[in-house]
Amino acid sequence: MPFDDIVDLSFDKNNGLWLISSESFATFKTGFFEKIDLSVANLPVDAIFENNKGDIFVSSGGFLDKISFSGNSWKIDQKLTKATRSITAIFARDEEVFIGNLDGIVTGK
């Protein structure tokens, strides 16, 4: 495995099994594994969400990345935001993205 730890597992019918570590995540769909590097390395993953288009939104610290399947691999499509606090909840539909944090604040992008 490409990780030192596994903190969660998830499965979806389009992408198969997802492995989530404290610092990154990977899928088995495009090969044995495909590690997806985030915009800031070595920060814990706080939240992850897949929208109805199959894009993946991942928060790490105060950073939010949009990751899409391009060509034959997953790549960061957009670095969406840098917040002052860790983003602990994400909801996305089409082009709308809502993020929440431990201060009880929800913002839309």
Side-chain angles (χ1 to χ4, degrees), residues 13 22 39 42 48-49 55 57 60 68 72 85 90 107:
K13 64 180 180 177
S22 61
S39 61
N42 302 321
I48 187 167
F49 187 85
D55 299 317
F57 296 83
S60 185
S68 301
N72 61 356
R85 294 274 313 251
I90 306 166
T107 55

Side-chain angles (χ1 to χ4, degrees), residues 21-102:
S21 82
S22 61
E23 297 174 351
S24 190
F25 62 102
T27 177
F28 281 108
K29 172 132 185 178
T30 55
F32 180 69
F33 68 84
E34 179 182 352
K35 182 179 176 188
I36 301 166
D37 293 318
L38 302 175
S39 61
V40 178
N42 302 321
L43 287 178
V45 172
D46 295 312
I48 187 167
F49 187 85
E50 179 182 12
N51 72 0
N52 56 333
K53 293 181 174 181
D55 299 317
I56 307 294
F57 296 83
V58 180
S59 70
S60 185
F63 295 91
L64 179 65
D65 294 326
K66 177 183 175 188
I67 298 168
S68 301
F69 196 76
S70 176
N72 61 356
S73 65
W74 290 92
K75 294 184 175 64
I76 292 180
D77 185 38
Q78 278 181 297
K79 296 176 184 180
L80 293 177
T81 192
K82 167 63 174 106
T84 56
R85 294 274 313 251
S86 290
I87 298 165
T88 55
I90 306 166
F91 177 80
R93 184 180 59 212
D94 298 324
E95 298 305 315
E96 284 185 300
V97 180
F98 298 93
I99 57 175
N101 66 28
L102 295 177

